[in-house]
Amino acid sequence: MQIPVVRKILEANATMADENKNLFHQHRVLALNLMSSPGAGKTALLERTLTDLKTELTMAVIEGDVQTTNDAQRIAATGAPVVQINTDQACHLDSSMIQEALSRMDLNGLDVLFIENVGNLVCPAAFDLGEDFKITLLSVPEGDDKPLKYPSMFVRSQLMILNKLDLMPYLDFDLDKAEQGAKTVNPALEVLSVSARTGENLQAWYQWVHSRVQAKPKT
């Protein structure tokens, strides 16, 4: 009996996601949906990105959390515009939440909109937000088996960022195994390995962002 209800929810979400996508297209904004389990380093990666690229790109953030504005305050400290969404009990953002946040943002002249989803390695993958790319972060402390244990996030993503490389000497984590697992469930998945804390290989991430901004079609 629950299947029709779930289908109705996802269909309504998809309709609003299309509206968001059209809005991003009209303004030529690159929308990136960052997903991960709690503590994988999404906010730390955004802090570095917003700081290092602020003279090259105009960027803003929609910050999703169950409670508190802690991460939004960290983002605001970089000088980037940020809108907070508190979901209360919900374990993910949906397209209606994004639509409401967009009503409080100025998309004119914006190059990149980062959407930091709620920390959860399952729920966010099912909800399209109208984004151009879904990006899943996997951190070294989580273990190299997560792509096979939680495949839906990796199946629906176009990019996986392996974060916290600086912890490799202290933990039993096999980079090749993690990448192989991810590509087993999604052969087309791109993979980048970085450390948001030390800055290791962040240039590869920055180049990825730049290339997608440049590829956005002009209206």
Side-chain angles (χ1 to χ4, degrees), residues 185-216:
V185 299
N186 183 358
L189 187 68
E190 294 185 69
V191 179
L192 294 175
S193 301
V194 307
S195 170
R197 188 179 73 85
T198 67
E200 182 179 354
N201 208 34
L202 284 182
Q203 284 303 319
W205 159 239
Y206 298 160
Q207 290 170 9
W208 189 95
V209 173
H210 269 291
S211 67
R212 272 62 187 183
V213 169
Q214 293 166 1
K216 286 289 288 186

Side-chain angles (χ1 to χ4, degrees), residues 15-88:
T15 298
M16 287 192 177
D18 286 341
E19 294 172 1
N20 295 342
K21 187 181 291 292
N22 289 336
L23 189 62
F24 296 142
H25 178 76
Q26 291 169 14
H27 290 271
R28 200 168 175 256
V29 173
L30 177 70
L32 303 177
N33 179 7
L34 303 184
M35 307 179 296
S36 78
S37 61
K42 297 189 301 296
T43 307
L45 179 67
L46 284 177
E47 286 178 305
R48 289 294 298 254
T49 303
L50 295 167
T51 300
D52 293 349
L53 297 184
K54 64 183 177 182
T55 62
E56 303 169 30
L57 296 171
T58 304
M59 299 168 286
V61 177
I62 294 176
E63 183 65 47
D65 274 307
V66 175
Q67 294 289 346
T68 82
T69 60
N70 293 349
D71 290 345
Q73 290 175 29
R74 289 169 59 183
I75 296 300
T78 70
V82 57
V83 174
Q84 174 74 49
I85 298 175
N86 284 129
T87 65
D88 294 324

